[in-house]
Each structure stands twice: as structure tokens, then as C-alpha cells.
């Protein structure tokens, strides 16, 4: 298995632009998580999906952030409009229904100028 | 609200020395306690998972213990090697949290000097 796949690996954009991050979970996993990691705040859970349905989005910082999971093999995290304080590494992780371990993707390093 | 703390934030040891990494959590109502490793510029790799009913888990040179009553977990790495240099994070899903929602500690950055 290729593991969790994220794209792009690096994204540099200007303030105000729309940013879309993509994630393909491990095949067969039914839970998907989006995290954000910064030096100041560490690793924070943004949103969690189970069977393609958003279960807990209490970590989404504000309305500029949105996430979708149209099917079991694809999810997106969108920031519109982006701001410099959104600069961080965004990780996607997945886990199976009977497997509490979460498997992380390599992350997307976002820089908003 | 669950809070997870890791002390120290950074640790430097000579090769061959045993490593002891500490993790504390404020609410003992957890499903399990997980330890991850993160290399610079990379994602997290799961190392060990201790179920709430267990006291410890071992994998090779790694041993993790769990004491729910005191809200502590310890990761031991025996005979450290330069390849063990990384950031180690612990995380715990709260029983009342939806699904497998993890709360992470800030991590301990480890440097093993040859």
C-alpha cells in the first residue's frame, strides 16, 4: 500500500488566494483526519470524517476553512481567502474501524506571503 | 478538556545511552496512549499504542509504559543510536471524544550524538 497520499507537498501562495489541499487515505480506512502543525501551537486536529461524513469540525479555525470528503478515497481542505497566519504544515491521517492507530501522510507545507 | 504535556522539550544524549521520554495527561479517561516519531520535514510514524487496560508495550528497543492513575506514560529507548534522533510525540484519545480524536503533546526533540 502506498500509504496516505497528500498533494501538493509544498504550496506557496499570496494572501487572498484560494488554497486547496488534497488527501487520499489508505484503501479500506474509514476515518480521515486533517491536522495543522505550527511551532507555536504544535499539532492540532482541524476536522475528522467517519465514513465520509464530517463528525467533528470544532478545530476548524474559522469560516475561511472548509473540508469535504466526496468519497472514501479522496478529501480536500480548502482555505479561502488565505492569510499569512495560515502558514503551517497540514497533515492528513487515516485509520480503520478496528484499528485505533492513525497513519499520517507526508504533509503539505503551506506558505502564504 | 484533555491536555497532554511532554517534558523535556529537547534532549541530547551520547550514543549508547538509554533514553527516557515523559508524557503526562490531565484526564485519565482515555482509550489508549500512542507514541509517534516525526523526522524533520516528514509526517508522523506510529511507534507504540498502549490500550487503556494495558500497563506497557514493547517493540524492539522501545518500551512504553502507562499509568492512568497518575496520568503518565513513559517511552524508553534502549541503547540509543544516531538514527533515533527525531521528535517524539505522545497522544491520547479521550473516551468522550468523537471517534479516535487525538490530543497531542508538544513533543520531545531528541538528538543522539555519535
Amino acid at each position: 500500500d502506498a500509504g496516505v497520499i497528500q498533494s501538493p507537498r509544498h504550496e506557496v501562495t499570496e494572501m487572498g488566494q484560494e488554497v486547496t489541499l488534497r488527501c487520499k487515505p489508505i484503501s479500506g480506512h474509514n476515518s480521515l483526519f486533517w491536522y495543522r502543525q505550527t511551532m507555536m501551537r504544535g499539532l492540532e486536529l482541524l476536522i475528522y470524517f467517519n465514513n465520509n461524513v464530517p463528525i467533528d469540525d470544532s478545530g476548524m479555525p474559522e469560516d475561511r476553512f472548509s473540508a469535504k470528503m466526496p468519497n472514501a478515497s479522496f478529501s480536500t481542505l480548502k482555505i479561502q481567502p488565505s492569510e499569512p497566519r495560515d502558514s503551517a504544515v497540514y497533515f492528513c491521517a487515516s485509520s480503520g474501524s478496528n484499528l485505533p492507530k492513525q497513519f499520517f501522510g507526508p504533509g503539505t507545507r503551506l506558505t502564504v506571503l | 478538556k484533555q491536555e497532554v504535556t511532554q517534558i523535556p522539550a529537547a534532549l541530547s544524549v551520547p550514543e549508547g545511552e538509554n533514553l527516557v521520554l515523559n508524557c503526562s495527561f490531565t484526564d485519565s479517561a482515555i482509550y489508549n496512549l500512542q507514541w509517534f516519531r516525526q523526522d524533520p520535514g516528514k509526517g508522523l510514524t506510529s511507534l507504540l499504542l498502549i490500550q487503556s487496560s494495558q500497563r506497557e508495550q514493547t517493540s524492539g528497543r522501545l518500551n512504553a509504559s502507562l499509568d492512568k492513575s497518575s496520568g503518565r506514560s513513559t517511552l524508553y529507548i534502549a541503547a540509543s543510536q544516531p538514527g533515533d534522533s527525531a521528535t517524539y510525540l505522545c497522544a491520547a484519545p479521550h473516551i468522550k471524544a468523537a471517534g479516535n480524536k487525538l490530543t497531542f503533546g508538544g513533543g520531545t526533540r531528541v538528538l543522539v550524538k555519535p
Side-chain angles (χ1 to χ4, degrees):
Chain A
D1 197 315
V4 176
I5 299 172
Q6 290 187 249
S7 65
R9 293 294 310 278
H10 301 274
E11 177 80 24
V12 180
T13 190
E14 292 186 345
M15 183 174 63
Q17 296 298 306
E18 177 180 295
V19 175
T20 300
L21 311 181
R22 297 173 176 78
C23 175
K24 176 179 168 54
I26 292 174
S27 178
H29 283 188
N30 64 342
S31 294
L32 184 140
F33 308 81
W34 281 101
Y35 292 90
R36 177 172 67 176
Q37 187 176 40
T38 62
M39 288 292 293
M40 291 296 293
R41 301 176 66 88
L43 199 61
E44 303 173 284
L45 177 68
L46 300 177
I47 187 169
Y48 152 59
F49 291 87
N50 185 251
N51 293 324
N52 311 339
V53 176
I55 302 299
D56 185 346
D57 65 355
S58 59
M60 296 286 263
E62 46 196 280
D63 292 345
R64 298 184 296 106
F65 285 70
S66 62
K68 294 182 179 179
M69 193 164 185
N71 56 62
S73 59
F74 184 66
S75 177
T76 59
L77 177 67
K78 186 176 293 187
I79 308 172
Q80 166 64 15
S82 58
E83 297 182 2
R85 60 193 170 114
D86 301 331
S87 297
V89 181
Y90 291 81
F91 288 104
C92 175
S94 70
S95 66
S97 56
N98 296 319
L99 298 171
K101 279 188 181 181
Q102 291 186 20
F103 295 81
F104 280 72
T108 295
R109 181 174 294 277
L110 173 65
T111 302
V112 183
L113 303 174
Chain B
K1 179 186 174 184
Q2 177 76 280
E3 293 184 6
V4 180
T5 305
Q6 292 185 247
I7 296 173
L11 187 60
S12 180
V13 299
E15 182 177 3
E17 194 165 297
N18 297 332
L19 282 164
V20 180
L21 308 179
N22 299 303
C23 171
S24 61
F25 45 94
T26 55
D27 193 330
S28 61
I30 58 174
Y31 280 121
N32 55 63
L33 192 291
Q34 302 182 36
W35 283 94
F36 294 84
R37 167 183 173 141
Q38 185 175 27
D39 292 287
K42 301 288 181 61
L44 279 69
T45 300
S46 179
L47 295 174
L48 290 168
L49 184 152
I50 314 173
Q51 299 288 1
S52 61
S53 58
Q54 297 176 317
R55 298 282 295 186
E56 65 178 337
Q57 274 288 335
T58 298
S59 176
R61 295 184 294 111
L62 276 60
N63 174 276
S65 65
L66 175 63
D67 184 344
K68 285 177 53 180
S69 62
S70 65
R72 293 180 182 177
S73 177
T74 303
L75 178 66
Y76 301 89
I77 303 178
S80 62
Q81 304 169 358
D84 295 328
S85 298
T87 297
Y88 293 83
L89 298 100
C90 66
H94 194 271
I95 285 179
K96 292 183 181 179
N100 195 21
K101 181 178 177 179
L102 294 174
T103 300
F104 280 86
T108 295
R109 189 170 64 255
V110 171
L111 175 63
V112 180
K113 296 177 287 187

